Every structure is written in C-alpha cells, then in structure tokens.
Amino acid sequence: MADVDAFTDIPTTTLADLLGREQVMDSGIRPLWGPVPRVAGPAFTVRCPPGDNLMLHAAIHRAAPGSVVVVESGDLDYALAGGNVCAVAQRRGVAAFVADGLIRDLAEVREMRFPVFARGVIPIPGGKSAVRPLGERVRCGGVAVDAGDVVVADEEGVVVVPGARREEVRTAARAKLAKEAGETLDDWEAAHRARIDKILADQGFEG
C-alpha cells in the first residue's frame, strides 16, 4: 500500500497530463461535497445493474482497508448507497467511493467527511437482488478500471493509473512536479509564449 499512498501527493492534473484523456473519468463523476481531500487507493471493482445496489452493499464488507470502491452502474433513477453504507465503509477503512451513479443521505456523508465521487443524489434506494462477481473489469465515467488499478480523485476529477504502469507513472509524476517546483512564473511565461508563438507562426498567423 505504501507505493499507492504516495499517489495522494500527486494532483490529478499531473496524472492527466501524463496519462491522457482515456484514463480520466468524465466530468459527471464529481465530488459530492467539498472541499474534498485528495484520495488514492487500489480499485475494488463492483458492478451493479440499474435499480439494484446489492453488490456495493456486499463490497463494503469485502474491500481491503485503503481501497477505493469503484462502481459501474449508470443508474440515474435509484441510489446505490446511503449514509449507513458510507459510514460502515469508512469505519472499515475504505478510502472513498467512485460511482457511476447516485447516492442519498448527502448531509450525513458530508458530515462524516467520507469522500464520494458520483453523478449526484436521489432520495430513493435501489433494490437488493442482483448478484454479480466482484473484482472484475468495470467501466466508470467512461474509463475501464481493473481491480488493483490506482484510482486518484480530488476536486479536479478522477484519474485511473493502470496497475502495470504504477511505478512508471509515479516516477514520471514526481519528476514533473519537481521540475515545476523549480520554475518561476517568469520562466513559465517565457516558455509558454515561445511555444504558443511558434505554433501560431508555423500556421501562418500574423499579429
């Protein structure tokens, strides 16, 4: 877990620059309260069919401490979880929920400061009957997520670091952050203007 924990110091903007659009969840997956802390952890993947939340409720008792529970649902008619489910998840050490769907009891979730990144809230809960495997590849916010991928989420959004690229991406991110930390705004402005002016000139812009 130590190498995963190190990602809490890396902004999602830095990771997005390195990984590109396909690893960034769409803007509908957003923090439901703020200011939310940055969270990072290995994905514990869950699939819930529309109208049913059984497997998310099962997952909170099975996800290892530090996990980010990632839910494929796409359901905008029923809540996947509420205050008690979030409270139990938090008590068991789950780092956050990232859900392609909705929750309820937002005031309770906000008060306990449990990070939830989802599409919104609705007051009616889903049913509990559809059994699905846990730990399989899911799609959340348009991104394919495998169990064990590193999920990093903050107020900017949610980025998924493929498990096989964990060390490579972490090293590159650290180098990028170190370079940026040593650069003044004057340095950045000069380099930025030179880059933009070159692009303009290459395309025949005059002005």
Side-chain angles (χ1 to χ4, degrees), residues 109-192:
V109 176
R110 180 172 54 237
E111 184 175 358
M112 73 180 77
R113 297 186 62 77
F114 179 66
V116 176
F117 299 78
R119 293 201 181 272
V121 296
I122 198 168
I124 186 168
K128 294 170 183 61
S129 61
V131 175
R132 297 289 186 274
L134 294 169
E136 294 193 337
R137 173 174 284 195
V138 299
R139 196 158 189 87
C140 184
V143 178
V145 185
D146 289 312
D149 287 350
V150 180
V151 180
V152 184
D154 60 20
E155 63 185 2
E156 301 279 353
V158 184
V159 180
V160 179
V161 181
R165 298 185 61 192
R166 179 185 302 178
E167 292 305 319
E168 167 210 336
V169 172
R170 186 178 64 164
T171 299
R174 293 273 180 223
K176 189 174 191 301
L177 289 170
K179 180 176 180 287
E180 291 170 353
E183 183 179 56
T184 67
L185 182 57
D186 288 342
D187 294 334
W188 185 90
E189 181 182 7
H192 178 260

Side-chain angles (χ1 to χ4, degrees), residues 87-127:
V88 171
Q90 185 181 53
R91 186 164 67 180
R92 294 184 57 82
V94 170
F97 284 170
V98 174
D100 202 329
L102 310 172
I103 70 158
R104 69 179 195 163
D105 302 326
L106 180 57
E108 294 177 31
V109 176
R110 180 172 54 237
E111 184 175 358
M112 73 180 77
R113 297 186 62 77
F114 179 66
V116 176
F117 299 78
R119 293 201 181 272
V121 296
I122 198 168
I124 186 168

